[in-house]
Amino acid sequence: MGGVFEETLQVNKYTIVGGFLGAVNVAFLLYAHWNIDPQMFSDGGVVLVLTAPIVFLGPFLLGAVPGYLLVRYRIVSPLPISGFLTWYAFVDRGSMEPFIVLYSNPIVHAYSLGVLVVVGFGEYLVRDQVPYVSHDPIL
């Protein structure tokens, strides 16, 4: 039964680790009282139900994609970059013009993911030329 489920939805150990790291990223930002709390943007009800997935998707992907790249292809550089962005959003949350507002924009999430993928692909190409470096999965 597990094999059929795994083949149908492509849920494997790499996806699970990536999803876990995405959830950790969202949880850390919520713990930091960051601007991604959907209750800040609505009074509850339908607006809250519609905005919550959109607000949480970007930070989730900013943790999940680099985590997946690490455990599946041993690409390291996107994870520290994403971690730095999250940490900087946490540290800068009290300033007058916080980085958080920029970091909470879904368009910025798309650009950030694009940059992380390009950096990861560059690392993949460089590691492909280095002898004795493996792209085998970590798990």
Side-chain angles (χ1 to χ4, degrees), residues 54-79:
I54 295 169
V55 171
F56 290 142
L57 181 64
F60 175 80
L61 289 176
L62 285 173
V65 170
Y68 179 84
L69 291 175
L70 175 68
V71 296
R72 177 63 183 96
Y73 299 106
R74 291 189 184 193
I75 297 176
V76 178
S77 57
L79 192 60

Side-chain angles (χ1 to χ4, degrees), residues 22 25-26 29-30 34-38 41 51-66 78 81-87 89-90 98-118:
N25 195 37
V26 170
L29 291 172
L30 283 174
W34 186 54
N35 247 357
I36 65 169
D37 187 359
F41 304 115
T51 59
I54 295 169
V55 171
F56 290 142
L57 181 64
F60 175 80
L61 289 176
L62 285 173
V65 170
I81 293 170
S82 179
F84 173 75
L85 290 174
T86 300
W87 180 254
F90 171 71
F99 175 72
I100 292 169
V101 177
L102 177 68
Y103 192 62
S104 63
N105 188 340
I107 306 264
V108 174
H109 293 151
Y111 286 129
S112 299
L113 278 172
V115 167
L116 292 175
V117 168
V118 167

